[in-house]
Amino acid sequence: MEEPDREAVATAVQRVAGMLQRPDQLDKVEQYRRREARKKASVEARLKAAIQSQLDGVRTGLNQLHNALNDVKDIQQSLGTLSKDWRQSINTIESLKDVKDAVVQHSQLAAAVENLKNIFSVPEIVKETQDLIEQGELLEAHRKLMDLECSRDDLMYEQYRMDSKNTHDMNLIQNYFGEVQHLSDELAKQLWMVIQRSITTVRKDPTLLVSVVRIIEREEKIDRRMMDRKKQTGFIPPGRPKKWKEKMFLVLEKTIGTRIEGSQAETRESDKMWLVRHLEIIRRYVLDDLVVVKNLMVQCFPPTYNIFNKMLELYHQALSSRIQELASEELEANEIVSLLTWVLNTYHSSEMMGNADLIPEVDIRTMKPLLSQDVVDQLLHKYMATLQSNIIAWLRKALETDKKDWDKVTEPEADQDGYYQTTLPAIVFQMFEQNLQVAAQISEELKKKVLHLCLQQMNAFLNRYSEEAQLYKEDHLRNRQLPACYVQYMIAVINNCQTFKESIVSLKRKYLRSEEDFMVSGSTNMGSILDTIASDGCRSLLDEVFMDLEPHLNDLMTRKWLAGGSNSVDTICVTIEDYFSDFARIKTHYKQKMTIKAHRKVVTEYIKAIMQRRICFRNADERKEGAERMIREAEQFKFLFKCLTSGFSEETDGLCDTIIDIAEVIKLTDPSLLYLEVSTLVTRYPDLRDDHIAALLAMRGDASREMKQTIIETVEQNQSQRQQGLNYTPIFKDIIVPSLPTLSVPKLLK
């Protein structure tokens, strides 16, 4: 104890030193002493209480241990006595077997006595139950049925316990209660009738549906009880388990399937829109039924049934089966579109499963698809194949109809700008537009495929269109009097090409979202085909013009022409002007090119007439008169085509200047300057050949052999040094000089 005492004294000294650090604290010594005394008294009181509590607990524990020891001794003594008594009573227990059998028999007889009243009144109860079923009192009928089944089952159970192998007595009981099973079947029929009409019943008489559900729930409980007893005893009453809950859902499943399948009111033979009507009826039925289930029917079933989700699943399964049946039929293209649009879009839209009245119970994101992707792909493949065949047939029919119009004696229709056109582009692209709108309802991918198919078939169609336009021209050339409006319809064909180009671009811009898709789809090939068709049409019209001009072109550069007895150029200008009054109905893009070609063709034919050596001037007066006439006619051509090209800025004066330049060579009066003039001509027109120069000199009629030789030799020497200008378009290149004796150098020397 010395060590704790020393520690206590040291601690006390430290505390006192802490309290008395200043002189003024000496006045509070008495106060400090009283405070410490109170603390000491409090600590001692708590310590005494704790020690007393521990002592009380130890005392109580000792008493309990003493009592337990006495109890153990008593139990040991009792067990010894019991063991002794048990050994003495073994023989007595074996002699009580008869008593045990009597007890079992008494139990059976007690059950028989208890059910005796029901046994004797079975026929009466059966009759009452039958009447209640017929009257629709289903709950009361089921109560009586349960009483009958309970009596039967108890008797059969007791018989089973007494002698499970005695089938005769078991059959006797079962036959006596034979009508009970019939009543159960009759009641079940009534229940299933109510379940079949549950959507209607819940609106008019929900209590009837509630009664049916209560009966089913009772039977489910009895089924569970009987199955538990079977596990214990091995006995199960006849007709158990009934599984009416399971049968109820089977009835609902069959009813829903019949309702959906029976909603088909028409067939393809009676109505082309049969599938659209069928799907619309299904949509209304399913939506209305599910709204009724959500708002009314759910209240009639226990929550454990989860009736809304179960009904939703049944409707989905029935719809899937029906859609599968429809998909397996030989559907037409428009029917495939209707089916896929309904399956992929309508089913999940706000018009059906996404309707606000079904939210939030229905989550369309978790719903399985009505058709598998393989079936969808098969339908799409079939649709594309059918659509391709239809498009080919539609395009062929449209072209045949358009061809018939070409032979009409009346002019084709004109658009708002006065340009001739036929209805072919409108018909073709209206057909494309309709199919693309339909495809867009299904999916973006199908829309792209249909657009690609349309453009692909359009490409093939344009090739046929080109062939038919060429045949149209050939038929006309056999008899230029027919068709009466050949020029006008050929103009319409040319204008159609521009309409086709614009429609293709418009169609792609409308149905392709990205610029990349627009570029990838490509229409360059079709554009070139259309330009070719239009160019061929323009060429055919120009051929028509120049076939009429041919006699007048043949009169050029003749003696008759020189003498002023021919007004060929006037006729040529009038004829061209007359044709181009019709050509004004050609759209500007093609008309501009056609006018330039006509201008070039006229000048080329005029130069051909010069090069054909139809006339050889005899003297300077004839050369002057002929040259001046050529210049006047060139100006006449220039004025004509300037009028025809007034709508665009193409400069064409240079073509007619070629005639004027040639006329200047003819008009030259000083032969010594002829070489210089020809050299200037050759420099200006690099494609001018030596045979052209020879023909030109021969037409003058005054060039000596030496002069011709010098000019030809100089031209041949400088021929390799000629370079065409960047903006020069050869005009002499395609002008062939008749094969007369040429003025080549060897012949001149000879």
Side-chain angles (χ1 to χ4, degrees):
M1 293 295 291
E2 294 179 356
E3 185 66 26
D5 289 342
R6 284 197 298 272
E7 290 180 0
V9 171
T11 303
V13 169
Q14 288 179 358
R15 292 192 62 186
V16 170
M19 294 181 200
L20 302 175
Q21 290 181 356
R22 294 190 306 276
D24 59 333
Q25 291 179 332
L26 292 174
D27 297 336
K28 299 180 180 179
V29 169
E30 189 62 31
Q31 181 181 350
Y32 292 153
R33 183 181 291 112
R34 288 195 300 271
R35 186 176 65 184
E36 291 301 323
R38 286 196 301 272
K39 287 184 179 179
K40 180 181 177 183
S42 175
V43 170
E44 288 177 350
R46 289 200 302 272
L47 182 60
K48 289 179 181 179
I51 292 173
Q52 183 66 37
S53 176
Q54 291 292 330
L55 291 174
D56 292 341
V58 170
R59 186 181 295 107
T60 302
L62 290 174
N63 291 332
Q64 289 176 349
L65 287 173
H66 180 73
N67 294 334
L69 179 61
N70 293 332
D71 291 340
V72 168
K73 290 180 180 180
D74 292 341
I75 291 171
Q76 185 178 9
Q77 185 178 358
S78 299
L79 286 174
T81 305
L82 181 63
S83 177
K84 182 179 178 181
D85 293 342
W86 177 73
R87 288 190 185 95
Q88 294 176 355
S89 62
I90 290 177
N91 296 329
T92 306
I93 292 174
E94 291 178 355
S95 64
L96 294 177
K97 184 177 182 301
D98 295 338
V99 176
K100 180 181 177 182
D101 294 341
V103 169
V104 172
Q105 187 176 9
H106 180 272
S107 175
Q108 293 173 347
L109 292 174
V113 171
E114 184 179 350
N115 292 287
L116 192 61
K117 180 179 179 181
N118 291 337
I119 292 173
F120 286 118
S121 60
V122 164
E124 181 183 351
I125 298 175
V126 167
K127 180 66 172 63
E128 292 176 358
T129 305
Q130 183 69 44
D131 293 341
L132 289 171
I133 293 174
E134 292 176 357
Q135 295 169 10
E137 299 293 336
L138 302 182
L139 275 177
E140 184 63 23
H142 185 251
R143 186 184 64 77
K144 290 184 176 296
L145 176 63
M146 286 194 300
D147 292 341
L148 290 171
E149 289 180 338
C150 183
S151 299
R152 179 197 64 184
D153 297 345
D154 288 346
L155 288 173
M156 294 184 72
Y157 175 63
E158 294 299 334
Q159 177 61 36
Y160 178 84
R161 287 177 59 192
M162 183 174 65
D163 186 4
S164 60
K165 296 181 180 180
N166 189 349
T167 57
H168 178 270
D169 291 345
M170 295 288 282
N171 291 335
L172 182 64
I173 297 172
Q174 188 169 353
N175 291 334
Y176 184 76
F177 286 90
E179 288 298 318
V180 174
Q181 186 60 43
H182 174 70
L183 289 176
S184 178
D185 294 339
E186 287 295 317
L187 179 61
K189 288 181 181 179
Q190 294 298 318
L191 299 182
W192 307 148
M193 288 178 61
V194 175
I195 293 296
Q196 288 172 353
R197 298 193 300 267
S198 57
I199 298 296
T200 305
T201 303
V202 77
R203 292 173 175 171
K204 297 180 179 179
D205 187 9
T207 56
L208 179 58
L209 183 59
V210 171
S211 299
V212 170
V213 175
R214 288 178 61 187
I215 292 171
I216 293 173
E217 271 296 282
R218 287 176 184 173
E219 290 294 337
E220 286 295 302
K221 290 179 181 179
I222 297 173
D223 279 348
R224 288 193 294 269
R225 189 169 67 249
M226 292 302 167
M227 294 304 294
D228 291 340
R229 188 165 70 176
K230 180 183 178 183
K231 292 178 182 178
Q232 297 174 1
T233 64
F235 173 76
I236 185 76
R240 293 288 177 186
K242 292 184 178 181
K243 298 181 179 180
W244 277 8
K245 181 179 178 180
E246 180 179 334
K247 291 179 181 179
M248 177 193 73
F249 284 115
L250 290 175
V251 170
L252 284 173
E253 181 179 358
K254 184 177 180 180
T255 302
I256 292 171
T258 304
R259 179 171 172 79
I260 289 175
E261 187 173 354
S263 61
Q264 180 177 341
E266 298 90 7
T267 61
R268 183 183 294 111
E269 290 73 19
S270 61
D271 188 350
K272 293 294 183 182
M273 299 296 290
W274 68 276
L275 184 58
V276 175
R277 298 182 187 279
H278 181 35
L279 294 175
E280 175 59 19
I281 293 173
I282 289 176
R283 185 195 68 79
R284 292 204 309 267
Y285 279 0
V286 173
L287 179 59
D288 292 346
D289 290 357
L290 288 178
V291 170
V292 171
V293 172
K294 176 189 172 185
N295 296 329
L296 300 176
M297 198 167 173
V298 168
Q299 303 173 20
C300 300
F301 286 79
T304 55
Y305 278 56
N306 196 14
I307 191 64
F308 180 81
N309 289 332
K310 189 65 179 177
M311 291 290 284
L312 179 63
E313 181 182 352
L314 293 177
Y315 272 102
H316 183 82
Q317 291 175 355
L319 283 172
S320 182
S321 299
R322 181 55 182 161
I323 296 299
Q324 291 276 6
E325 292 176 6
L326 292 172
S328 64
E329 296 182 9
E330 292 297 325
L331 297 177
E332 298 177 356
N334 62 318
E335 294 170 349
I336 293 175
V337 169
S338 299
L339 185 64
L340 288 177
T341 302
W342 197 89
V343 169
L344 301 178
N345 298 327
T346 305
Y347 184 65
H348 297 90
S349 70
S350 59
E351 297 179 356
M352 199 168 177
M353 292 304 183
N355 192 276
D357 292 336
L358 299 179
I359 296 174
E361 281 76 5
V362 177
D363 186 357
I364 58 176
R365 295 171 298 180
T366 61
M367 296 182 67
K368 297 179 181 179
L370 289 174
L371 288 178
S372 66
Q373 190 59 44
D374 290 341
V375 176
V376 172
D377 292 340
Q378 291 174 8
L379 286 174
L380 289 175
H381 178 74
K382 182 179 178 181
Y383 170 70
M384 292 299 292
T386 305
L387 180 62
Q388 181 175 357
S389 301
N390 290 344
I391 288 177
I392 292 173
W394 291 333
L395 290 174
R396 184 183 296 113
K397 184 177 180 180
L399 183 55
E400 291 296 328
T401 303
D402 203 59
K403 280 171 54 183
K404 292 178 181 179
D405 292 342
W406 295 354
D407 295 329
K408 288 182 177 179
V409 295
T410 56
E411 295 182 355
E413 297 179 357
D415 62 11
Q416 64 271 18
D417 297 320
Y419 298 126
Y420 285 137
Q421 64 177 9
T422 65
T423 57
L424 182 62
I427 293 173
V428 169
F429 282 92
Q430 183 181 9
M431 176 188 64
F432 287 169
E433 183 83 19
Q434 290 173 350
N435 285 285
L436 284 167
Q437 288 176 356
V438 168
Q441 296 175 1
I442 299 177
S443 68
E444 185 71 18
E445 185 64 26
L446 180 62
K447 182 184 71 174
K448 291 182 181 179
K449 288 182 179 180
V450 171
L451 178 59
H452 178 72
L453 175 63
C454 291
L455 295 177
Q456 184 182 31
Q457 295 304 319
M458 184 68 187
N459 201 44
F461 167 76
L462 291 178
N463 289 323
R464 293 195 298 272
Y465 192 50
S466 176
E467 294 170 1
E468 294 297 338
Q470 185 63 29
L471 291 174
Y472 184 56
K473 172 189 173 182
E474 293 173 1
D475 290 342
H476 172 70
L477 292 178
R478 295 189 186 96
N479 182 0
R480 294 188 62 211
Q481 303 301 318
L482 296 174
C485 295
Y486 168 77
V487 172
Q488 289 80 1
Y489 277 98
M490 187 57 75
I491 291 173
V493 170
I494 296 170
N495 290 338
N496 285 349
C497 293
Q498 182 63 24
T499 305
F500 277 128
K501 289 175 70 174
E502 294 170 355
S503 299
I504 290 170
V505 173
S506 174
L507 201 67
K508 290 167 65 177
R509 290 193 184 281
K510 182 176 181 180
Y511 288 99
L512 292 179
R513 291 184 176 179
S514 64
E515 188 67 22
E516 182 179 353
D517 291 337
F518 185 85
M519 297 303 295
V520 169
S521 65
S523 58
T524 307
N525 189 34
M526 280 185 285
S528 61
I529 293 174
L530 288 167
D531 286 339
T532 300
I533 297 172
S535 297
D536 291 344
C538 292
R539 191 180 304 111
S540 300
L541 293 177
L542 288 179
D543 291 345
E544 188 77 5
V545 175
F546 282 93
M547 279 189 284
D548 287 348
L549 295 180
E550 186 176 359
H552 308 290
L553 292 171
N554 291 335
D555 283 345
L556 297 175
M557 304 301 141
T558 61
R559 285 288 166 185
K560 180 180 178 182
W561 168 80
L562 181 63
S566 170
N567 58 350
S568 298
V569 172
D570 293 337
T571 305
I572 290 171
C573 290
V574 170
T575 303
I576 291 175
E577 189 174 4
D578 180 58
Y579 268 103
F580 270 83
S581 65
D582 287 334
F583 296 165
R585 301 295 190 96
I586 300 176
K587 292 186 175 180
T588 304
H589 171 67
Y590 296 120
K591 182 173 66 177
Q592 178 180 353
K593 291 183 177 181
M594 189 173 178
T595 306
I596 295 170
K597 288 180 180 179
H599 190 176
R600 186 176 184 82
K601 179 76 171 175
V602 168
V603 173
T604 302
E605 292 296 327
Y606 197 94
I607 296 174
K608 280 183 181 180
I610 296 174
M611 298 300 172
Q612 287 177 352
R613 298 172 179 152
R614 296 175 184 173
I615 187 173
C616 179
F617 296 117
R618 298 169 182 170
N619 51 51
D621 291 337
E622 285 188 355
R623 285 192 290 276
K624 180 181 179 182
E625 183 179 351
E628 290 177 350
R629 188 175 183 87
M630 290 167 65
I631 293 171
R632 287 196 304 272
E633 291 174 348
E635 293 294 338
Q636 200 170 346
F637 288 143
K638 187 183 293 186
F639 176 77
L640 170 65
F641 285 103
K642 185 170 288 187
C643 293
L644 295 178
T645 59
S646 59
F648 42 90
S649 60
E650 183 71 25
E651 183 58 49
T652 55
D653 289 350
L655 291 171
C656 293
D657 288 342
T658 306
I659 299 175
I660 296 175
D661 291 340
I662 294 174
E664 291 296 334
V665 175
I666 300 296
K667 186 178 180 182
L668 189 65
T669 57
D670 187 356
S672 62
L673 299 176
L674 190 59
Y675 167 73
L676 181 61
E677 196 70 30
V678 172
S679 298
T680 303
L681 192 64
V682 170
T683 303
R684 190 171 296 169
Y685 304 101
D687 59 326
L688 191 67
R689 300 191 300 271
D690 55 353
D691 55 344
H692 296 142
I693 297 172
L696 188 58
L697 295 176
M699 184 178 180
R700 274 186 60 89
D702 65 341
S704 64
R705 179 175 297 180
E706 291 76 11
M707 185 180 297
K708 293 177 182 179
Q709 177 183 347
T710 302
I711 294 172
I712 295 298
E713 286 178 348
T714 304
V715 170
E716 287 185 346
Q717 291 173 2
N718 297 333
Q719 190 170 12
S720 61
Q721 301 177 1
R722 300 182 196 171
Q723 293 184 355
Q724 297 183 2
L726 294 176
N727 297 324
Y728 176 72
T729 303
I731 191 169
F732 291 94
K733 179 180 178 181
D734 298 326
I735 296 177
I736 300 174
V737 178
S739 57
L740 294 175
T742 62
L743 297 177
S744 61
V745 175
K747 289 189 177 182
L748 287 173
L749 293 176
K750 184 178 178 180

